[in-house]
Amino acid sequence: MAIETATAQMPPRPMRADARRNYERLLAEARTAFTRHGTDASLEDIARRAGVGIGTLYRHFPNRTALMGAVFQGEICALLERSRELAKEPRPCQALIDWLRAIVDHASTYRGLSRALMACSGDETSALSRGCGLPLREAGSELLARAQQSGAVRSDVVIADLMQLTNAIALAVEQSPDDPELADRLLALAFTGLKAR
């Protein structure tokens, strides 16, 4: 039992230099493929473009959602930093709207991301949920709570519903690339229903 506990607490071994290079090339190619072709881009093609076999891709990323979570980690960190900045804004409701707009913009960069986030929202064991969905939900909870405490947003609004609504708006924007105002119109419409009476 003590051996199991000690093993569980040991930090992961650092990657060898060649493994680290493969990992970084896979991430770069996946980011490019997801931007150009959407999140359902061929994993075999990503591995081939990175100069490795599909087995190497799966050694680093056991499934598509694990690869997606790793690719989006940098953007998630930026969104989390943005939420911390907005938490200091004097208008809590506007801060929440601005942050949700940033999420829509992020999701719109990668076709299929909003659909994937909606699909994994109920599965907290998913790599995409753990790496993207849950941290965003936690950050959004703080901004939502501030907006509710200010009296601007109804007290019965929960962050899980708000995140699903935001992903649905991102999905609608993805499907309507010729309408650059759609995200703002849909967010404004959503917030009309969220306002406290």
Side-chain angles (χ1 to χ4, degrees):
M1 191 73 157
I3 293 173
E4 288 176 14
T5 304
T7 304
Q9 294 175 354
M10 289 176 54
R13 286 186 2 213
M15 281 189 218
R16 295 184 334 251
D18 61 332
R20 169 60 60 189
R21 282 191 299 274
N22 288 342
Y23 180 87
E24 296 298 334
R25 280 198 311 263
L26 284 164
L27 280 181
E29 290 300 334
R31 187 172 289 109
T32 299
F34 291 164
T35 301
R36 288 183 183 160
H37 308 293
T39 56
D40 57 352
S42 164
L43 297 184
E44 289 82 3
D45 190 48
I46 290 169
R48 184 179 53 75
R49 289 181 179 275
V52 300
I54 191 67
T56 299
L57 183 146
Y58 282 120
R59 270 193 298 282
H60 288 291
F61 309 102
N63 53 46
R64 181 179 297 275
T65 57
L67 178 59
M68 289 167 61
V71 165
F72 306 138
Q73 195 58 52
E75 288 94 340
I76 296 304
C77 289
L79 285 168
L80 296 177
E81 178 58 32
R82 182 72 177 128
S83 76
R84 288 188 284 274
E85 292 168 5
L86 288 168
K88 300 171 190 166
E89 290 292 318
R91 297 180 303 156
C93 187
Q94 187 60 51
L96 178 61
I97 293 169
D98 290 348
W99 188 70
L100 294 174
R101 181 63 164 101
I103 291 175
V104 170
D105 289 343
H106 162 64
S108 300
T109 304
Y110 302 99
R111 193 176 68 245
L113 176 57
S114 52
R115 190 178 332 106
L117 286 170
M118 290 173 80
C120 78
S121 68
D123 179 10
E124 294 186 1
T125 64
S126 156
L128 188 60
S129 183
R130 284 192 321 269
C132 297
L134 291 176
L136 290 178
R137 201 176 320 166
E138 288 171 14
S141 291
E142 294 178 26
L143 293 171
L144 174 60
R146 282 187 73 232
Q148 289 171 322
Q149 289 163 3
S150 76
V153 174
R154 293 178 4 209
S155 60
D156 62 338
V157 175
V158 295
I159 193 61
D161 291 347
L162 192 53
M163 294 303 292
Q164 286 289 72
L165 181 59
T166 302
N167 284 318
I169 290 171
L171 186 57
V173 169
E174 177 186 308
Q175 299 299 314
S176 305
D178 297 332
D179 188 353
E181 309 299 320
L182 182 61
D184 292 323
R185 288 198 318 272
L186 292 177
L187 280 170
L189 185 60
F191 269 88
T192 299
L194 296 174
K195 283 184 182 175
R197 298 186 184 182

